[in-house]
Amino acid sequence: MSGGLHVNNLSHAYDGLPIVSGVSVFVAPGEVVCLLGPSGCGKTTLLRVAAGLEVLQRGQIHIGERIVADGVGGMHVPPENRGIGLMFQDYALFPHLNVFENIVFGLPEPNPERIRWVDQALEQMDLTACRQSYPHTLSGGQQQRVALLRAMAPEPRVLFLDEPFSGLDTTRRARVREQTLQLLKETGVATLMVTHDPDEAMFMADRILVMNDGRVVQDGAPVEIYFEPVNGFVTALLGPVNRFDGTVEDGHVVTPLGTFDANGIDNGTVVQILIRPDGIRLTLPATPPPSDSGDAPRKLALAASKSGNSSVTPVFRVVSARPLGRSSHVVITGHNPSGSEILIEARVPGVFLPEPGCEITVSVNAREAYVFAAD
Amino acid sequence: MRYSLTPAVAYPFLRILRQRRFLFNRWTVGTLLVAALIATPLVAVVALALTPSDDVWQHLVETVLGKYVLTTLHLVLGVGLGTMVIGTGTAWLVTICRFPGRAVFNWALLLPLAVPAYLLAFVITDQLEYAGTVQSLLRATFGWKNRQDYWFPEIRSLGGAILVMTLVLYPYVYLLARAAFLEQSVCVLEVSRTLGHGPWRSFFSVALPLARPAIVIGVTLAAMEALNDLGTVEFFAVNTFTAGIYDVWLNMNSRSGAAQLASVMMVFVIALIAAERLARRGQRYYHTSTKYQALPSYRLHGIKGACAFVICLALVALGFLLPASVLATYAAEFYTDTLSTNYVRYVWNSLSLSALAAFAAVSLGLFMAYGVRLNGGFVVRAATHFASIGYAVPGAILAIGVIFPLGALDQLIDAISRTTFSTPTGLLFSGTIVAIVYGYTVRFLALSYGTLEASLSKVTPNMDGAARTLGHGPAATLRRVHFPLVRGSLLTAGLLVFVDCMKELPLTLILRPFNYDTLATFVFQYASDELLEESALAALTIVAAGIVPVILLSLNIVRSRPGHALEITKEPVS
């Protein structure tokens, strides 16, 4: 192994309560890895243990070629000797130091080459004007960038980012994210980032590790995680979903939105079917659905014939439609196989605002209907 | 059917801090050492209590012990009751009612804190004795010729001591009760009123129970001070434990007898500490709401307003204006008498002792508070807790706890020096100002520790984490991050300890080297010899120093808004 961060089989508990259980993480130099999970899943604890702010209990941590913590011998290199950088969620800028003093705080001695780097980075991050300002006079976005530069100034081998963008409003986020990513890629540092925001993880990460209850449930590239989630938890973590319950019969499962392949799950198994709002296509009955769009939309007639009552075609009606800018949020009603009414959410590209109450045709891309055995 | 994400919650810092238990061994050991140093006198007193008694003890039991117990009990109960009624009443008046002068009384009611009880005792006696202003005026008015013609209460009595101490100690209760009333959500009071309770009933059924823990803390602090007092009870010849310890020590020349008395007295101290700790624990459960508005105001008109005004004015007048003006008058007239003594020397002694103790208390307090921050382990916490109960232990007891270990240490060093270098070293610690500074530090450490702990707790643990991950060790982090951030509190803590040391009497009287006087011991001796006028300048100097923390607290009161509780751990008055 050369460079980067290796966390091997790390376990951690508070007062006997396991927080992290046997997690391994590898971050190569220049790579950005995101730990994605809901609050309380142990991702922040993992980060703090890796940084040395907490004493490792079980497992082993390497930074570069060096072992910095080993649960077996109780070995613990204190954080100040690990050659790491950590950016805190609340930034933790020193209030008694100005921007420049904050950034050079971690430099062992005034080093002209690093000072030049700092000046350049300040310029790049649009911070030159507030070089002498104190943290409380800065906006959230400026504070975030100062904290990032402070963590990076001593040239750490590994950089930890704890919810780096959570304090920013959505309009600022995009720009700051872009600047951050650019800086990370320029320096080639190994970066481990913790977030609960799937958009952030998707944007920043080369690789995402989804965590739940102290374990890694899926490890893969962002596109893989989004389009090939391994279970219902991961699917739901990455965005809102419509969730249906069903039972596998003849290798298929019936939902209000149609019948889907059960992906080899045994007959008789209780399953959940998750469909994202943007996986649902809506068309007004007046205009016929696109016939050869390439992703083979399932006709609802098929669902009707499969479920045996061929004479009745399920009827979907619009409940509400709201514009979201580049897409529209449409709520429709459908019917469970049992006949009860159910609300379904759909996200349609462009402005698509049918009148509430009007009938609508629904189709679902089979690849975007995720079927998992129920927990 | 929708899975919604909850936003991330801040991390569980406390758990994380607790987890670092075995990490910073040097700091842990250092913190424990400091705690042990501070706790030594307390342990020594307990140890002395367990050593076999001798003849003096037998003698004490047969003669005066019963009287000490009863008198002390009366004093503590009397002062406790007096400060509770006055402190709570005035706090309610100035926070809830509107009457003439309220804005001024808001802070002026704190002024008596600047006057040590023994100074008020001297001044009141001076005014009320046979040749004093009051009796002379009465005789002139009614044509009485001598003592047989009329009855006049004797101020130099237990009742007088209770009165004097109540007048200068009620601000403890006032301060804490006031903060508690301000913290209360206005809603609960308004709910009470909408449910048909009038102002009086609302006070007794809602406001008072909610403020009870704060009031109990204030009363126990006042009672601790009453227990600590030596100047007043000696001057009034009231036989409390503190007076007894002093007499047995200096007049009967029995160290072990004094130690025995001290250990019996510890029962009172432990009872008060227990009451205070229970109240502090209870305080947590009495916070009602985080929403605050301006408190409702009951406008007091006519006679009611006048009564409120007169009550507040009388308290400020008796507790501060009278002693300050009498001392100022005497000082103006007799300052040359004071200056002809070793006044400058006494000022220097007081200043240097207080400065040394303030420096020690602040350094050790910061060290301990930072040590606890680094290592939240149970042992360290328990040790620092124990070390910071010095404020509850009367100076006379602490003096004994200081002198025994230091005496033993002196003998040990002397013996070693004699055998190895054939030169005796004599008393290096116990008969020198080292003993006084040590005693001051033990007694007032809680003051600096509490102030610094509160201040450090406002620095988020992420600051530590940031400095550590940026390559700075614990010591460098303290120096470069925490020290600049808590600098203001260091100054405040030092000032509070400094002023308390300036006023301190019992510890100084017992521990001072031969022929060594501070302002306080000088005034005490002169006033005891009916030479108040001649020492008035020195007394006024003490009051002037005592004003400093009152100003700090007043500024705090003026700045504090509802919801911003005053941070009071322990306030001066010796």
Side-chain angles (χ1 to χ4, degrees), chain A residues 84-88 90-107 114 117-118 121-122 127 135 143-156 159 183, chain B residues 462-471 481:
Chain A
I84 52 145
L86 169 53
M87 197 196 121
F88 290 87
D90 62 0
Y91 313 140
L93 295 175
F94 302 124
H96 60 298
L97 302 178
N98 67 30
V99 166
F100 182 75
E101 290 165 341
N102 259 290
I103 294 174
V104 299
F105 186 88
L107 298 181
R114 288 314 287 165
W117 179 87
V118 170
L122 282 170
L127 287 168
Q143 290 186 21
Q144 193 271 354
R145 283 170 282 165
V146 173
L148 180 70
L149 292 186
R150 184 179 67 175
M152 294 182 71
E155 296 184 277
L159 184 65
L183 194 67
Chain B
N462 277 357
M463 292 283 168
D464 304 48
R468 298 297 298 278
T469 55
L470 289 167
V481 177

Side-chain angles (χ1 to χ4, degrees), chain A residues 165 174 177-179 181 198-206 208 222:
Chain A
F165 309 107
R177 255 188 223 164
E178 220 157 290
Q179 286 178 319
L181 191 60
D199 288 351
E200 219 160 277
M202 298 282 291
F203 184 92
M204 297 288 293
D206 297 315
I208 294 177

Side-chain angles (χ1 to χ4, degrees), chain A residues 232 241-247 253-260 269-277 279-280 316 332-337 340-346 362 364 368-375, chain B residues 1-3:
Chain A
V241 289
N242 294 294
R243 183 189 299 250
F244 311 102
D245 299 315
T247 309
V253 58
V254 178
T255 76
L257 290 178
T259 302
F260 299 100
T269 310
V270 177
V271 292
Q272 52 178 346
I273 305 94
L274 304 169
I275 301 170
R276 296 205 172 95
I280 298 174
F316 295 92
I332 56 176
T333 53
H335 293 274
N336 272 325
S340 63
E341 205 173 64
I342 185 168
L343 287 174
I344 299 162
E345 291 180 40
V362 177
V364 172
E368 292 187 48
Y370 303 105
V371 183
F372 304 109
D375 313 312
Chain B
M1 101 181 162
R2 258 189 91 163
Y3 186 94

Side-chain angles (χ1 to χ4, degrees), chain A residues 13-15 39 44 48 53-55 57 76 78-80 84 86 88-90 92-96 105-106 150 154 162-163 196 198 233 236-237 240-243 343-345, chain B residues 1-3 5-13 15-16 18-21 23-24 460-474 476-477 480-482 484-485:
Chain A
Y14 290 125
D15 302 328
S39 54
T44 293
R48 291 181 64 91
L53 292 174
E54 291 189 51
V55 180
Q57 293 169 351
H76 174 84
E80 58 265 30
I84 52 145
L86 169 53
F88 290 87
Q89 185 175 10
D90 62 0
L93 295 175
F94 302 124
H96 60 298
F105 186 88
R150 184 179 67 175
D162 186 4
E163 304 275 2
H196 69 273
F233 170 80
L237 186 65
V241 289
N242 294 294
R243 183 189 299 250
L343 287 174
I344 299 162
E345 291 180 40
Chain B
M1 101 181 162
R2 258 189 91 163
Y3 186 94
L5 292 173
T6 44
V9 180
Y11 347 110
F13 289 119
R15 275 191 333 199
I16 285 165
R18 216 183 301 142
Q19 210 55 44
R20 302 190 197 171
R21 196 160 302 169
L23 184 46
F24 306 102
T460 139
N462 277 357
M463 292 283 168
D464 304 48
R468 298 297 298 278
T469 55
L470 289 167
H472 295 276
T477 302
R480 293 194 54 183
V481 177
H482 296 98
L485 289 178

Side-chain angles (χ1 to χ4, degrees), chain B residues 419-470:
Chain B
T419 49
T420 31
F421 308 109
S422 312
T423 41
T425 54
L427 299 181
L428 288 176
F429 302 114
S430 56
T432 65
I433 62 164
V434 173
I436 306 186
V437 173
Y438 184 29
Y440 283 175
T441 309
V442 174
R443 179 153 162 79
F444 299 123
L445 182 71
L447 204 55
S448 64
Y449 177 73
T451 309
L452 294 173
E453 195 192 29
S455 178
L456 274 181
S457 71
K458 287 182 196 128
V459 179
T460 139
N462 277 357
M463 292 283 168
D464 304 48
R468 298 297 298 278
T469 55
L470 289 167

